Amino acid sequence: EAGVVQSPRYKIIEKKQPVAFWCNPISGHNTLYWYLQNLGQGPELLIRYENEEAVDDSQLPKDRFSAERLKGVDSTLKIQPAELGDSAVYLCASSPPGDTQYFGPGTRLTVL
Amino acid sequence: AQSVSQHNHHVILSEAASLELGCNYSYGGTVNLFWYVQYPGQHLQLLLKYFSGDPLVKGIKGFEAEFIKSKFSFNLRKPSVQWSDTAEYFCAVRRGFGNEKLTFGTGTRLTIIP
């Protein structure tokens, strides 16, 4: 069974530029999560989707971050414009109802 | 809001030594508890989980954890570590039985010396 797929794996951009990350969850998993992991920290939730509905986006900085999951399958997370402090690993996870969350390899973002 | 504490930031052990990594959480209601591992260059993988029932749970690669409700703890143990256990270990808690977010600890870096 294929795991959670994320791309790109690495991204280097200059500050004020836009950037987008893509995630394809495990087939059949209706719940999709985006987490942010700073160096030396555990992941923190940015947004959670149930199918195409964002049900928890309270931690998403909405002035510069946006996300979508239009058909309830894959998802895109966007930052515009990026700031130096956005350098981190962006993780996508998916889960079946009430069960374990499975994580993708993450996208390591470096903002110069 | 719940929080998770992992007091050991970096643990260094020799092969065959016994391991115990501490994890405490702050939420007083029903919780699901997890330990994830991240090997160098790899993604987060589930090591073991507790939802209900027997508070002593066994995971992959000889790891186990014990849920002690009265102490709000879910410590990870392994009787004899191997060099291949070198990794970062994260404890995580989820409220209730649904699809709520995971709240992670800051992680413990484990280095095993051959």
Side-chain angles (χ1 to χ4, degrees):
Chain A
E1 178 183 275
V4 176
V5 178
Q6 291 188 248
S7 68
R9 292 293 309 276
Y10 304 92
K11 188 74 176 179
I12 300 174
I13 61 172
E14 293 189 345
K15 63 181 180 181
K16 300 185 182 180
Q17 295 299 306
V19 65
F21 315 123
W22 177 80
C23 171
N24 187 254
I26 294 173
S27 177
H29 286 191
N30 295 334
T31 309
L32 183 147
Y33 311 78
W34 284 103
Y35 286 86
L36 166 69
Q37 185 174 19
N38 286 304
L39 189 65
Q41 301 293 320
E44 296 179 353
L45 182 75
L46 288 172
I47 189 168
R48 170 168 67 103
Y49 281 93
E50 296 291 345
N51 298 302
E52 63 274 9
E53 182 182 0
V55 295
D56 184 356
D57 63 356
S58 57
Q59 301 302 311
L60 189 73
K62 298 181 183 64
D63 57 335
R64 297 185 298 108
F65 286 66
S66 64
E68 60 183 15
R69 193 185 184 198
L70 293 176
K71 296 183 179 179
V73 181
D74 57 348
S75 175
T76 302
L77 177 69
K78 298 178 181 178
I79 309 174
Q80 182 170 11
E83 298 179 352
L84 295 176
D86 296 331
S87 295
V89 177
Y90 291 82
L91 297 169
C92 181
S94 70
S95 73
D99 208 329
T100 303
Q101 294 180 27
Y102 295 88
F103 285 81
T107 297
R108 183 176 297 276
L109 173 67
T110 301
V111 182
L112 302 176
Chain B
Q2 67 263 34
S3 65
V4 179
S5 297
Q6 291 183 246
H7 303 294
N8 311 106
H9 297 293
H10 189 191
V11 174
I12 302 173
L13 294 172
S14 298
E15 276 193 318
S18 64
L19 170 72
E20 181 161 2
L21 300 182
C23 173
N24 289 91
Y25 64 94
S26 64
Y27 184 66
T30 300
V31 293
N32 301 149
L33 297 159
F34 304 81
W35 275 97
Y36 282 85
V37 60
Q38 188 166 26
Y39 297 104
Q42 298 188 26
H43 61 280
L44 280 167
Q45 302 171 37
L46 182 70
L47 205 52
L48 49 77
K49 63 185 178 184
Y50 172 79
F51 283 11
S52 63
D54 189 343
L56 184 62
V57 293
K58 296 189 183 300
I60 61 172
K61 303 185 180 183
F63 286 90
E64 65 178 30
E66 184 175 12
F67 170 49
I68 303 179
K69 189 174 182 179
S70 61
K71 295 184 178 180
F72 298 90
S73 70
F74 190 55
N75 292 354
L76 181 70
R77 300 194 294 249
K78 185 171 184 178
S80 177
V81 295
Q82 301 172 311
W83 177 79
S84 59
D85 293 325
T86 295
E88 185 117 24
Y89 293 79
F90 292 93
C91 180
V93 63
R94 181 179 69 192
R95 293 188 308 180
F97 302 101
N99 300 328
E100 300 262 345
K101 68 178 182 181
L102 293 174
T103 298
F104 285 85
T106 53
T108 296
R109 183 154 61 103
L110 175 65
T111 302
I112 305 300
I113 302 171

